[in-house]
Structures are given as structure tokens and as C-alpha cells.
Amino acid sequence: MIFVIGTYVIAAVLLYFVLASVVATVARRYLARGSPEDFYIASGRVGGFVSAMTYAATTYSAFMMIGLVGYAYATGVGALGFELIYLVSTLFLLSSIGLTLWRLSRELGFTTPSEMFVKFFGWDRLGIVVTVIAAVSLIPYSSIQLIGVGLLLHAITGGVVPYWFGLVVALVFPLFWGVVAGFRSIAWTDAVQGMVMLGGSLALLSWVLLWGFGSWSVFVSKVNVLGDLLHVPNRFWSVEVFVAFTLPWAFFAISNPQVVQRLYVPRDRASFTRMVLYFALFGLIYTVIVTLLGLMVRVLAEFGVVEYVDPRRRDLVTPTLLRYVPVPIAVVVSVSIVAAATSTLNSILLTLSSMVARDLKYMTGGRLRPEVEVRVCQLFIVLFSLITLVFAALRPGYIVDLAVLSSTLLLPLAVMTLLALVDTRSRYLGKLATIPLIASVSTTLVLAYVRKVFAHYIPALTLPTTALLTSLVLYLVVRALAR
């Protein structure tokens, strides 16, 4: 039975990739030849619905249906609070800071997050520093997309399909989509993938509820078996751990370059407003579905209805569950997970590569021809893809943990963005703006390694607070020196 489900899933995933590739190829017809701005952000001419779907598909990745389902299963309702705080803070930032960044992208003409920092602080080489920080932080985050697909296909086929096959399949097609037509192909495929993600998760939740419990009231009557997992704090979610997890994600909308770049794409203010509204609706529904799914599976596992997965192997919860569901639902859900993973991956690859290409333009004094700049971007999409593949093959840790680390390392970018917006003299900092960025990221990386070795001696909250406070204090210091 497992082999049959796996065969259908593999076939459906490949078919899905082929159809998405057709969409990406059609999008190429609308690409302005030789225009980096069109390749990076579709010239900022995207409507509200597509903007919302590409934002949602970029934000909600394999982290959700693989990582967060497993986290809700292993740690309880704290996972719901953790993700809802992210959603609320993101909506607040989009409606305030995000709208300001959209307006400034029109006024100052920046198309990449690194270029935005160049405009804010007035030094052409600052973009290079921002790009290096982004690459170091996002390679682990992009690798979890491949890890999610690799785990899924390996588990759902009973180990017949090797882990590395999922990695390669999940990489090759997004690589093609990014190279063939840049943002237009990614945005169009994201619009499709967003609907697949939502539909797949809803179908799976409905089936688990009806098959495992029969009704909502039965689930409610049995949920007390989870004990302290229904409360925060509990055996996992201490107050310290909860804050340590949520703090980096609270700034996600202005710290992660792949979503910051999406703030530049709505064609007008009305489109931006629709993007925020549609994303809010999508995010709320998807978050509730995913966390409920993890809790329901844990209840079923406690009663012996489904196989019990050791919480220490929580990333296997969803793949294990899919062995029980009807083939059509297993296929749809598997495709939705692959869609979520690949949409985030190709967005990160394009953003990082466009940052490198635009930085090179500044390094050459603006002498880089537009068509050459696009070729540089395409080349780095391939290069970053290969680096991500190697990182994913090493399986460095849990999906959620890697995502939180990436967001923590990017916190200084959020701090510097906020300070640049409120400090009208930020452009006078120039080279000095590199000090808080490099120092805070370096300190956080060292602490992350030390904490891995001496976890009992360094609180979890140390990492995000170090990233925030170091960048803030050093900015104020260099700001005072620059007077």
C-alpha cells in the first residue's frame, strides 16, 4: 500500500512540476528583454491577488506542513501561539513599515534589499555586506525546503525513493523557474501553489477529523489526553523558550530579504492594501489548519489509532500520517508540501541572486549593462542552488530550529531598517553602518555554536536579544561618532 501511494505521489509531483514549468515558460513572454527591474520584481507592476499569493507562498514553506505540524504534535498549543504572533506582527509591520518601504521603493528606485540599504546609508559597498549576511542566514532556511521534500518522498514511499532524490527533484524545477523568467514566473507559479497549499491542508484536516474522530465534539472530548501540551508554559514552552522562538519571527516581514523584496512589487497602493488583506486571510486559515492537524494526530497517536512518532523525530509526523490517508488526499497533500517548499526556495534563490547582481552594478560604478546584470543573476541562481543542495544533504538539524536560527541572524537587518526610517541623518553613516551589522551577526553566530555545545548554560533567549541589542547599541555608538 505504501509503495502504491508513493508511486502516485511521485507521478503527481512530477506532473505538477511540468505544469508549473509551462506556466513559468509562458511568463517569459511578458519579460522585458534585458531589464533587471523586470527580472527582479516584474517592474513593480503586480496586482493585489498575485502579490498576496507570492507573499504567502514565499512565507509559508515546508516549515508549515512538515515543521509546524511536527512542532504542534511534539510541543502542543504553544506552536499555535508562536505562529499567530508571527502573523499578527507581520500584518502590523506590513500595514506600517511595509507601506513606507513600498512608497520609498518608488521614490528612491531600489529593487533589492541590499540596494535599499545602499540608498538608506549612502555607501555603495554596503550592499555587499548585506548580501553576505543574507546568504549566510538564508542558505540554512532554503535548505529546509529541500529537506522537507526529501523526507516526505522518502517516508511516503517506505524508503524506496532515496532521500537525495527528493532533494534533487525539489531543486531542479525551481531552478528552472527562476532562470527562465525571474520574478514573473515565480509570481505566477506562486499564485497556483498558494491555492494548492491551502486546498491540500484543508483536505487533510477534514479527513483526519472525520476518519479519526467522526466529529469536532468527539475530538474536543478526547483532547485532554494531551495533558500539559494544552497549556503554556509546559514541558517545552517555558516563557523563555516561547519568547526566544517568537522574537525573531515578529520581525520577519522586515528582516528576511525574500519577503522584503515582495514589498516592492504591488503596482499601486490599492494593490498593496489588497495584498495585505488577502495574506491576512490566507495566513490565519493556514495557521489554524496546520496546528490543529498536529494536535489531532498527537491525540490519535496517544490512543493508538495511528503510529506514535517520537517527538524527537517530529519532522516525520506528516509523512507518517500520509500512509493512512486515501491515495487522492495523500497525493494532493504531498503536492501541496512540495509546492510550499519550492515556492519559498525559488523566491530565496532569486532574491539572493538579484542582490549579488545589483551589488556588482554598484561595484562597477553603474557600468554593468542591463543584459549582463540579468545573466549574473541567473548564474548566481545556479550557484546558490548547488550550495543549498550540499547543505540539505548534510541534514544539519530540525526544520523549525533552522528556520528560527535564520530569522535570528537576520534580526540586525530589521533593526537597521527601522533606524534608517526614523533617523533622517542615517545617510551620513556610510561605511560606519557596517559595524553594527557585522558585529551583531558575528556575535550571534558564535553564541549559536557555543550554545549548541553548552546548551544548559546559555539560555535560548540569549540569541535573539543579543542580535537585537548589539545592533541597536552599536548603531547608536557609530551614530554619535558620526556627528
Side-chain angles (χ1 to χ4, degrees):
M1 182 61 179
I2 293 177
F3 180 77
V4 172
I5 294 177
T7 301
Y8 278 112
V9 168
I10 295 294
V13 167
L14 293 177
L15 177 61
Y16 167 77
F17 276 144
V18 170
L19 293 176
S21 298
V22 171
V23 173
T25 304
V26 172
R28 182 180 177 85
R29 297 177 54 189
Y30 297 88
L31 178 65
R33 183 177 296 277
S35 168
E37 292 74 21
D38 203 78
F39 196 81
Y40 302 161
I41 59 171
S43 299
R45 300 289 301 168
V46 181
F49 177 76
V50 175
S51 294
M53 286 301 98
T54 188
Y55 193 96
T58 299
T59 301
Y60 294 121
S61 58
F63 167 83
M64 295 295 282
M65 283 297 289
I66 297 291
L68 196 61
V69 168
Y71 238 71
Y73 173 96
T75 69
V77 296
L80 176 61
F82 157 59
E83 192 63 24
L84 284 179
I85 288 178
Y86 155 74
L87 178 62
V88 171
S89 61
T90 296
L91 295 176
F92 172 76
L93 290 173
L94 288 179
S95 303
S96 53
I97 304 301
L99 183 58
T100 301
L101 294 180
W102 171 81
R103 177 177 55 80
L104 289 175
S105 72
R106 293 324 197 242
E107 296 176 2
L108 301 179
F110 49 75
T111 59
T112 71
S114 58
E115 187 178 20
M116 178 182 73
F117 275 82
V118 170
K119 301 286 187 180
F120 282 171
F121 295 100
W123 187 48
D124 288 352
R125 301 301 174 90
L126 180 59
I128 302 171
V129 177
V130 173
T131 300
V132 171
I133 292 173
V136 170
S137 305
L138 287 175
I139 291 301
Y141 187 59
S142 57
S143 73
I144 71 176
Q145 316 311 321
L146 300 183
I147 292 171
V149 176
L151 288 174
L152 172 70
L153 298 185
H154 180 72
I156 205 170
T157 59
V160 174
V161 171
Y163 170 72
W164 62 262
F165 177 82
L167 303 186
V168 174
V169 168
L171 180 69
V172 170
F173 288 93
L175 174 61
F176 170 74
W177 301 339
V179 170
V180 71
F183 186 83
R184 290 188 184 275
S185 65
I186 290 174
W188 286 23
T189 53
D190 279 354
V192 176
Q193 290 174 148
M195 294 295 96
V196 173
M197 289 159 57
L198 199 58
S201 62
L202 184 58
L204 182 58
L205 179 68
S206 301
W207 182 85
V208 169
L209 178 62
L210 294 176
W211 173 78
F213 302 98
S215 68
W216 175 258
S217 60
V218 174
F219 166 67
V220 172
S221 68
K222 293 183 176 181
V223 76
N224 286 333
V225 73
L226 298 183
D228 74 333
L229 294 183
L230 296 176
H231 309 284
V232 177
N234 60 23
R235 71 189 79 163
F236 177 85
W237 293 107
S238 65
V239 173
E240 176 206 328
V241 169
F242 189 82
V243 175
F245 270 66
T246 55
L247 192 58
W249 287 93
F251 294 92
F252 187 91
I254 57 172
S255 65
N256 279 244
Q258 74 276 14
V259 292
V260 171
Q261 192 173 42
R262 269 145 184 76
L263 301 179
Y264 313 153
V265 304
R267 61 171 168 250
D268 50 37
R269 180 162 181 167
S271 296
F272 188 94
T273 300
R274 286 194 294 271
M275 178 188 79
V276 176
L277 291 174
Y278 295 152
F279 170 72
L281 182 61
F282 184 102
L284 179 60
I285 295 173
Y286 198 42
T287 297
V288 171
I289 288 174
V290 168
T291 49
L292 266 178
L293 189 57
L295 295 174
M296 285 183 178
V297 176
R298 181 60 183 266
V299 171
L300 293 177
E302 293 291 343
F303 281 102
V305 179
V306 298
E307 178 184 343
Y308 182 82
V309 177
D310 189 328
R312 291 172 297 181
R313 305 180 68 208
R314 52 185 173 264
D315 287 343
L316 295 179
V317 171
T318 299
T320 301
L321 172 65
L322 292 181
R323 299 176 186 174
Y324 294 86
V325 308
V327 172
I329 295 179
V331 169
V332 172
V333 172
S334 299
V335 171
S336 76
I337 294 172
V338 173
T342 54
S343 64
T344 298
L345 177 61
N346 59 20
S347 297
I348 292 174
L349 294 176
L350 177 62
T351 296
L352 288 178
S353 301
S354 65
M355 291 167 70
V356 172
R358 188 47 59 101
D359 293 342
L360 185 59
K361 177 182 178 180
Y362 279 100
M363 290 176 63
T364 59
R367 293 189 298 273
L368 194 67
R369 296 197 309 274
E371 61 273 18
V372 175
E373 185 179 341
V374 171
R375 291 288 180 267
V376 170
C377 180
Q378 292 172 322
L379 175 63
F380 271 87
I381 289 175
V382 176
L383 178 60
F384 282 129
S385 297
L386 296 176
I387 295 173
T388 301
L389 180 63
V390 172
F391 203 91
L394 297 176
R395 290 280 300 277
Y398 290 122
I399 284 179
V400 173
D401 298 333
L402 287 174
V404 171
L405 176 60
S406 293
S407 293
T408 301
L409 292 175
L410 290 168
L411 277 175
L413 297 184
V415 173
M416 296 293 281
T417 299
L418 289 171
L419 292 171
L421 293 177
V422 300
D423 183 3
T424 57
R425 292 177 57 85
S426 63
R427 284 185 57 83
Y428 293 100
L429 288 184
K431 296 179 181 180
L432 291 175
T434 62
I435 295 176
L437 284 173
I438 295 175
S440 57
V441 172
S442 301
T443 303
T444 305
L445 272 174
V446 171
L447 276 176
Y449 176 77
V450 172
R451 188 176 184 276
K452 188 175 182 180
V453 180
F454 304 103
H456 296 295
Y457 302 98
I458 300 178
L461 193 53
T462 302
L463 295 183
T465 53
T466 297
L468 286 172
L469 293 177
T470 305
S471 53
L472 175 59
V473 171
L474 288 178
Y475 179 90
L476 295 176
V477 170
V478 298
R479 180 68 177 80
L481 294 175
R483 287 182 175 176

